[in-house]
Amino acid sequence: QVQLVESGGGLVQAGGSLRLSCLASGRTLRQYFMGWFRQAPGKEREFVASINWGFDSTYYADSVKGRFTISRDSGKNTLYLQMNSLKPEDTAVYYCANGRGDRSGYDYWGQGTQVTGTN
C-alpha cells in the first residue's frame, strides 16, 4: 500500500505561482514514477508532469512545459510541483500519483488539492 497526501493548493491570480507538495509513504519510491495529474470540472483527468524517482528524469505535458517544474526530495519522500505563470485554465483538482510509467500505469492516488487561477 502507498499513502499519498497532497497539500499546497489555493487561489492564485493569473501570472502567479503556487507550489504543491505530496508526502508519500509505504513503498520504495526509487523503483517507481511519481506524477501529477489534474481534473478540471467537466473534463477528464489529464497528465501534468512526472518524475522517475530513481533517475530524476522528468516529463511534462505540452500545456505546462516551461511553466511548471516537478521535483522530489528523497530524504523527505516528498514530491513537488512548482507552478509559475498560472493561467485560469490551470484551474483543477491536482492529484499526486505513484506508478510504473511516465504518463500511465499509476495505481495509487492522493485525495487531490484544489488549484484555482483567477483573472
Side-chain angles (χ1 to χ4, degrees):
Q1 289 290 331
V2 177
Q3 293 77 44
L4 303 170
V5 180
E6 302 101 333
S7 60
L11 191 67
V12 60
Q13 284 191 326
S17 298
L18 207 58
R19 189 176 80 157
L20 305 182
S21 300
C22 173
L23 177 63
S25 61
R27 178 181 267 183
T28 303
L29 296 178
R30 67 176 181 271
Q31 300 175 7
Y32 297 92
F33 286 79
M34 289 285 292
W36 290 99
F37 293 75
R38 66 186 182 187
Q39 187 167 20
K43 295 187 177 181
E44 293 188 353
R45 186 164 57 193
E46 64 175 2
F47 167 78
V48 175
S50 65
I51 187 168
N52 181 305
W53 197 272
F55 294 99
D56 203 24
S57 49
T58 57
Y59 308 84
Y60 294 94
D62 288 343
S63 58
V64 306
K65 202 172 293 183
R67 299 189 298 123
F68 291 9
T69 302
I70 189 171
S71 63
R72 84 301 192 239
D73 184 330
S74 297
K76 296 181 179 179
N77 267 15
T78 301
L79 178 73
Y80 301 101
L81 184 68
Q82 177 67 44
M83 303 185 292
N84 298 330
S85 302
L86 276 161
K87 305 175 181 179
E89 51 263 43
D90 293 318
T91 295
V93 177
Y94 284 70
Y95 297 92
C96 168
N98 172 269
R100 301 178 184 274
D102 58 322
R103 294 170 188 258
S104 62
Y106 286 80
D107 44 14
Y108 291 100
W109 298 83
Q111 81 286 354
T113 185
Q114 177 71 46
V115 172
T116 302
T118 64
N119 285 316

